Amino acid sequence: MTHRQGPEGSANRKASATGRSSFDVLVLATMSAGKTSFVNALIGTELLHTANEATTACITSVEHRQGARDFSGACYSYENQELACLQNIAPSHIRNWNANSDVKRITLNGSFRTSPSPAQGLVLHDTPGPNNSQDTHHAQLMLEAVRTVPFQALCYVLNASQLGTQDDHAVLTQLRSELAFRPNRSIYFILNKVDLLDPEKGEGIDAYVNNSHRYLTGIGFERPVIIPTMASVALYARMVLNHHTLTRVQRLKLRQTLIEFSEDKSALLRTAVVPDPIKKGMLKTLATLERQRNARLLAGKCCEKNDLQQLLTISGLKTIEALIKHQRQSIKNP
Ligand SMILES: Nc1nc2c(ncn2[C@@H]2O[C@H](COP(=O)(O)OP(=O)(O)O)[C@@H](O)[C@H]2O)c(=O)[nH]1
Ligand SMILES: [Mg+2]
């Protein structure tokens, strides 16, 4: 039986063997904040399971391999032994592996279904989360992931619709001190589920971003980068652009969000707390898409694809991709 490496350094060693440079993004979250939806949106397909089922202590790592036709992967035991390995893997296989208490780690690779594609070697690590916010293992599982997974960027997904109501304060405090030993790692706060806010009830996005900013600086995160995000909606938009079929509920949600955000399209981008050049770049992309939309309208052409691209642009997903791209470029050319 072959012994395999743990999550620590597996992607990096693989990368150096093939001459490629890998870039690892660790995704952490408070309960059901939308971590897996966020990872799926970055992959561009519903590869990982998102329902609230019994969670294992399993870390799922997904690597982008440009041009690969299918996704393939393997799962490993607590002793780092390969338990199963599959080509052309289906979400149902991953779901079964994830539900198996003998499985500690899943590694997957395939070509991300996004346009443009990320640079070769991007690895996303989805971490386990508890079903119950009172779960005492929550902080422990997160810290274990922070200690064992190699990462250059950390995305911490906050649930905008439950901000401050869950006991993630203790987890974030521990994370803050843990990261003090790991300088030069970027942390991006994904303020997810902003589509659930109701501005007419005083739940304006600006106020939520300001609250998160206060909350995070209070914990000790200096100058936090905060991205208002709609991970599930971004995933649905990408699925339609990739000609995948949505469920009725997903279709309705997508249509409703397209209508809701059509009035003030740049609102989410304006409130994001990100470096100026990134924000300007996103606003410019949105303006270009809007000009192209108007030209299509004038020519009597359909705008569905353009509408989805605009939604993706404001969804927060494109912003995080721009941040990752920028970080990878500055590592390459310091
Ligand atoms: N409305 C809304 N729901 C979301 C969003 N992101 C995720 N969800 C839903 O939140 C639930 C939990 O999501 P999941 O990705 O499994 O969260 P995880 O437990 O953090 O991995 C699922 O029902 C998702 O469809 C979002 O941006 N907006
Ligand atoms: Mg999950």
Side-chain angles (χ1 to χ4, degrees):
M1 213 166 311
T2 40
H3 279 264
R4 301 282 168 144
Q5 294 165 358
E8 58 281 358
S10 56
N12 283 330
R13 263 168 257 169
K14 200 172 1 145
S16 58
T18 57
R20 284 188 281 111
S21 57
S22 76
F23 185 88
D24 293 79
V25 180
L26 178 63
V27 183
L28 301 177
T30 46
M31 184 196 62
S32 297
K35 205 169 358 107
T36 305
S37 306
F38 175 68
V39 171
N40 277 339
L42 288 171
I43 300 170
T45 184
E46 232 172 357
L47 187 67
L48 310 182
H49 189 58
T50 54
N52 291 324
E53 286 183 353
T55 34
T56 62
C58 185
I59 293 177
T60 306
S61 306
V62 194
E63 180 180 349
H64 169 62
R65 295 256 179 94
Q66 187 70 42
R69 251 189 45 181
D70 305 303
F71 279 90
S72 48
C75 65
Y76 300 88
S77 71
Y78 280 72
E79 291 76 36
N80 268 325
Q81 289 179 347
E82 188 179 287
L83 298 173
C85 173
L86 278 172
Q87 304 288 323
N88 191 8
I89 201 163
S92 57
H93 296 129
I94 303 168
R95 183 179 179 171
N96 290 340
W97 286 353
N98 200 48
N100 182 345
S101 56
D102 292 336
V103 173
K104 170 71 175 170
R105 185 169 66 93
I106 298 173
T107 60
L108 305 165
N109 62 74
S111 191
F112 288 10
R113 318 291 204 241
T114 63
S115 177
S117 316
Q120 192 79 293
L122 178 65
V123 188
L124 309 174
H125 302 273
D126 188 11
T127 51
N131 280 341
N132 178 339
S133 64
Q134 304 305 315
D135 190 331
T136 49
H137 293 309
H138 191 179
Q140 236 171 297
L141 288 172
M142 275 197 189
L143 291 179
E144 191 188 317
V146 172
R147 287 172 188 157
T148 57
V149 176
F151 66 92
Q152 286 84 23
L154 193 161
C155 290
Y156 192 96
V157 186
L158 293 157
N159 185 343
S161 66
Q162 292 181 12
L163 193 67
T165 59
Q166 10 196 147
D167 58 353
D168 62 341
H169 192 278
V171 173
L172 278 165
T173 306
Q174 268 181 291
L175 182 64
R176 178 71 206 97
S177 34
E178 193 68 31
L179 291 177
F181 302 110
R182 290 171 179 73
N184 307 322
R185 316 279 171 103
S186 297
I187 175 159
Y188 305 121
F189 290 97
I190 312 298
L191 187 61
N192 196 34
K193 305 198 186 187
V194 288
D195 54 297
L196 296 182
L197 302 180
D198 188 346
E200 285 165 83
K201 282 191 182 165
E203 299 172 346
I205 288 170
D206 307 46
Y208 272 75
V209 173
N210 287 340
N211 285 349
S212 324
H213 195 273
R214 216 170 307 126
Y215 179 59
L216 294 168
T217 47
I219 293 171
F221 292 100
E222 285 169 30
R223 294 188 298 279
V225 170
I226 304 172
I227 306 136
T229 303
M230 312 185 273
S232 56
V233 175
L235 170 65
Y236 305 155
R238 279 204 155 138
M239 285 167 70
V240 176
L241 288 167
N242 288 332
H243 311 289
H244 294 178
T245 312
L246 298 185
T247 64
R248 199 176 72 89
V249 170
Q250 292 175 335
R251 250 191 341 264
L252 288 175
K253 177 70 198 171
L254 184 58
R255 202 177 307 155
Q256 181 198 353
T257 317
L258 276 166
I259 295 167
E260 274 172 16
F261 285 86
S262 62
E263 272 176 33
D264 184 3
K265 289 180 181 168
S266 60
L268 288 182
L269 294 181
R270 286 198 314 268
T271 52
V273 186
V274 295
D276 249 5
I278 299 281
K279 187 181 282 200
K280 280 188 184 142
M282 299 310 302
L283 287 165
K284 198 170 155 200
T285 304
L286 183 66
T288 306
L289 282 167
E290 184 64 14
R291 265 198 312 279
Q292 288 167 348
R293 185 180 196 279
N294 289 335
R296 291 189 73 81
L297 270 182
L298 272 175
K301 289 183 182 164
C302 161
C303 296
E304 193 201 348
K305 192 173 164 193
N306 182 295
D307 285 338
L308 294 171
Q309 286 166 335
Q310 291 207 28
L311 191 62
L312 256 179
T313 305
I314 65 169
S315 71
L317 257 288
K318 288 276 187 185
T319 307
I320 189 74
E321 284 168 351
L323 285 161
I324 289 172
K325 185 176 174 191
H326 180 261
Q327 195 187 338
R328 291 184 82 175
Q329 279 168 348
S330 35
I331 290 173
K332 237 164 103 187
N333 314 305

